Amino acid sequence: MANTGKALTGDEVALHNTRESCWIIVHGNVYDVTDFLDDHPGGSKIILKYAGKDATKEYDPIHPPDAITTNLKPEKHLGPVDLATVEKVEEIITNEERARQARLAARPLLSEILNFHDFEAIARVVMPEKAWAYYSSAADDEITNRENHAAFHRIWFRPRILRDVTVVDWSTTILGHKSSMPLYITATALGKLGHPDGELNLTRAAAKHGVIQMIPTLASCSFDEIVDAAAPGQVQFFQLYVNKDREITKRIVEHAEKRGIKGLFITVDAPQLGRREKDMRQKFEAEDPSEVKQAGQGGVDRSQGAARAISSFIDPGLNWSDMQFFKSITKMPLILKGVQCWEDALEAYDMGLAGVVLSNHGGRQLDFARSGIEVLVEVVVNLKEKRGLSFPNEQFQLFIDGGVRRATDVIKAVALGATAVGVGRPFLYAFSSYGQEGVEKALRILHDEFEMNMRLLGARNIKEIVPDMVDASNIHLHTVPVPSDNLYESNYERLQGARIKET
Ligand code: 173
């Protein structure tokens, strides 16, 4: 059926409610997804549940907004529906969901939240299970995920005393743009899984606190929505997943530049998405197991969790020679996100890029990749030795992300030469449990931590946070206790000691 331009009615759409003819409504538009059913990475079952109906509520949290329009041929876009004529989809609230909503309603006041760990603890129990699984999951045995945090424990301070620290100032510039702290909100996908306003929670809170937000390629809100929500003059960066189709990438990059984005962070650590088993298991439970198994033998693999399902467009062929292409299509500073050794940082410098993010993607890609803070140390040493650079450096900026939970973590990174650090999950947890106010509270917590810790360290401004203020001599030693391996250990019962028999 061709799009005639006249709005369809709910009754017309409702007729197409079978596998043979399946129409769905998303955001007031009708799509014929009959031929797409078997290609849907999330399986056909979930689409058929909404056949002939409005699927917007189910669609929104787990798809980037343009997923349906880019995946379906234009002739399958059947045009608008008169929403007044569409029957509301009856929401079935499970007992589990009811219990979750009760926990959400009973969450502590924001004033009782003292640190980032508190947000995480609350998020874990108030988020929908699927959303928690997706955000918190990491690759394989999640060793790198834990190491990201643990690595900061191997760095200790050497504070200076008897300096007048009445006034302390931790504001800085990132890629030449003012930031109230040496920290930015890094890119994380699918914000609406955690909260209906998704990434806009971050944009609005960032505006109030003068921090920079990096907009993800795979946001739940559209790129333009996020840019439109920014306050006048608010600085935003953009994280790019490079599409196999370079024309699409070119369009995205040019659009970002036109909309005023101030830095392009090209993700280079995800030619294939890592195995996040917590996320994958959700999928197994949600789908008809026979369908999942079948998919293993050819066809669309539906066993891979939410992230993998929507990442197939990412180009594993991306390589160094593509950098020339990026230089030719944009004047935005180019930064590689996901560099994991000094050799690649040096290469990026030699290519004239603006910087690198030393990152392992929040432990979500290669398990046993080292932490960003550890890699920072070797990058600073080698770029000094081989190119005479000192850090922080205006021309070639070093960033790290992963495991940051305290202002002291940020201060350690700055002391070791980073311009700024990225923080991802903690802000997701903050808005998943408290919306925009949660993110604002998280930023206020950091503010207070910076003020106190800079005083205690004897650093009055960012320039005074120098390498001599930290002892990172153990950073490369991975001899800290191996984090307990919960997956393995939970399979075993504890040995019992002598016990008094109950009578
Ligand atoms: O870490 C991620 O989950 C991620 O970067 C991603 C990539 C592709 C699709 C969704 C998320």
Side-chain angles (χ1 to χ4, degrees):
M1 181 178 152
N3 179 358
T4 58
K6 195 168 142 277
L8 292 155
T9 66
D11 284 348
E12 283 174 285
V13 179
L15 290 174
H16 301 267
N17 62 351
T18 64
R19 182 171 262 288
E20 286 65 46
S21 182
C22 178
W23 293 5
I24 56 163
I25 300 167
V26 175
H27 291 301
N29 284 301
V30 184
Y31 300 93
D32 179 351
V33 292
T34 317
D35 296 340
F36 178 68
L37 284 172
D38 290 329
D39 295 332
H40 182 229
S44 59
K45 205 169 137 199
I46 186 68
I47 304 189
L48 286 166
K49 187 172 156 197
Y50 289 91
K53 300 183 185 145
D54 192 338
T56 309
K57 266 210 177 127
E58 179 76 26
Y59 173 93
D60 256 356
I62 44 176
H63 299 85
D66 60 355
I68 195 160
T69 44
T70 51
N71 278 303
L72 274 190
K73 296 197 188 91
E75 65 266 27
K76 305 291 181 190
H77 303 194
L78 307 182
V81 63
D82 178 359
L83 280 175
T85 66
V86 176
E87 225 181 283
K88 295 274 165 290
V89 178
E90 201 194 320
E91 257 189 277
I92 302 160
I93 301 187
T94 59
N95 288 341
E96 209 177 300
E97 173 60 13
R98 215 181 301 280
R100 183 188 76 81
Q101 287 177 5
R103 288 194 297 273
L104 187 63
R107 69 203 190 282
L109 295 173
L110 261 178
S111 55
E112 293 172 56
I113 299 290
L114 299 184
N115 57 44
F116 280 18
H117 306 299
D118 287 345
F119 280 119
E120 196 153 346
I122 302 302
R124 194 172 112 95
V125 293
V126 304
M127 285 176 74
E129 206 184 338
K130 242 190 205 171
W132 167 259
Y134 172 65
Y135 287 171
S136 67
S137 64
D140 295 359
D141 296 318
E142 306 194 340
I143 303 295
T144 287
N145 186 34
R146 277 164 280 176
E147 160 65 6
N148 280 348
H149 182 60
F152 287 102
H153 300 169
R154 300 200 295 275
I155 303 170
W156 295 79
F157 285 121
R158 302 181 67 249
R160 300 306 301 268
I161 54 164
L162 293 177
R163 293 178 169 179
D164 176 355
V165 288
T166 315
V167 180
V168 285
D169 173 13
W170 52 97
S171 65
T172 189
T173 59
I174 304 177
L175 298 175
H177 302 282
K178 271 177 127 52
S179 172
S180 65
M181 46 183 102
L183 174 149
Y184 58 88
I185 301 175
T186 196
T188 47
L190 301 181
K192 283 191 185 172
L193 268 180
H195 187 277
D197 289 351
E199 295 79 11
L200 300 183
N201 289 302
L202 303 172
T203 314
R204 295 172 184 143
K208 285 199 176 172
H209 287 263
V211 299
I212 299 174
Q213 173 191 23
M214 188 192 297
I215 303 175
T217 293
L218 288 163
S220 294
C221 300
S222 77
F223 172 81
D224 283 314
E225 247 181 295
I226 301 173
V227 176
D228 290 342
Q234 183 178 344
V235 175
Q236 291 172 310
F237 298 147
F238 182 62
Q239 172 268 335
L240 182 73
Y241 273 125
V242 179
N243 198 301
K244 287 175 194 143
D245 182 341
R246 290 292 189 278
E247 275 309 305
I248 295 178
T249 289
K250 181 165 182 264
R251 253 198 332 265
I252 293 173
V253 170
E254 287 175 348
H255 182 66
E257 183 161 9
K258 207 168 83 209
R259 295 286 339 248
I261 295 295
K262 297 291 189 279
L264 186 66
F265 288 70
I266 304 168
T267 295
V268 292
D269 59 10
Q272 174 179 345
L273 228 58
R275 280 172 66 90
R276 294 100 185 240
E277 294 176 7
K278 222 192 286 181
D279 185 34
M280 290 162 73
R281 232 176 269 287
Q282 287 292 321
K283 216 61 202 167
F284 267 115
E285 280 159 20
E287 288 294 327
D288 172 354
S290 64
E291 220 183 31
V292 173
K293 244 185 268 144
Q294 237 177 9
Q297 287 125 32
V300 180
D301 191 346
R302 295 189 190 103
S303 65
Q304 302 289 308
R308 276 200 175 185
I310 58 168
S311 63
S312 56
F313 71 91
I314 299 171
D315 186 6
L318 182 69
N319 63 76
W320 288 108
S321 69
D322 286 302
M323 296 308 127
Q324 211 39 54
F325 161 74
F326 288 110
K327 283 186 184 174
S328 76
I329 60 169
T330 184
K331 295 214 157 24
M332 286 185 282
L334 301 175
I335 298 97
L336 301 184
K337 177 173 176 290
V339 169
Q340 297 171 71
C341 62
W342 68 262
E343 291 89 338
D344 284 339
L346 184 67
E347 183 93 27
Y349 172 74
D350 287 346
M351 285 207 166
L353 305 186
V356 287
V357 185
L358 307 171
S359 163
N360 52 43
H361 208 120
R364 293 161 78 82
Q365 288 298 105
L366 179 65
D367 206 10
F368 289 95
R370 296 171 304 160
S371 67
I373 189 84
E374 177 176 348
V375 178
L376 175 66
V377 172
E378 70 167 35
V379 168
V380 168
V381 168
N382 281 280
L383 268 62
K384 177 169 192 196
E385 198 178 288
K386 297 180 172 64
R387 295 295 180 271
L389 299 179
S390 63
F391 293 97
N393 188 298
E394 287 292 308
Q395 272 63 53
F396 188 71
Q397 307 202 348
L398 302 178
F399 305 98
I400 68 155
D401 67 30
V404 173
R405 296 294 182 273
R406 294 273 187 189
T408 47
D409 298 336
V410 183
I411 291 170
K412 289 173 184 178
V414 170
L416 292 169
T419 296
V421 310
V423 173
R425 285 193 189 92
F427 292 126
L428 293 178
Y429 297 143
F431 77 59
S432 297
S433 34
Y434 294 92
Q436 179 187 337
E437 280 184 33
V439 183
E440 289 183 37
K441 170 77 183 197
L443 290 166
R444 273 201 307 279
I445 289 172
L446 283 171
H447 173 102
D448 293 348
E449 289 189 355
F450 270 116
E451 181 171 62
M452 184 188 72
N453 288 304
M454 287 192 55
R455 285 210 175 101
L456 297 181
L457 195 58
R460 285 160 291 206
N461 53 52
I462 291 290
K463 281 205 171 70
E464 286 188 0
I465 305 176
V466 292
D468 279 349
M469 282 181 166
V470 290
D471 173 2
S473 54
N474 282 336
I475 189 70
H476 299 296
L477 298 179
H478 295 190
T479 49
V480 286
V482 175
S484 60
D485 184 348
N486 289 328
L487 256 183
Y488 175 84
E489 283 161 10
S490 65
N491 290 333
Y492 290 81
E493 285 170 17
R494 274 172 193 272
L495 290 178
Q496 294 288 347
R499 270 189 308 173
I500 296 176
K501 272 212 188 97
E502 277 171 35
T503 49

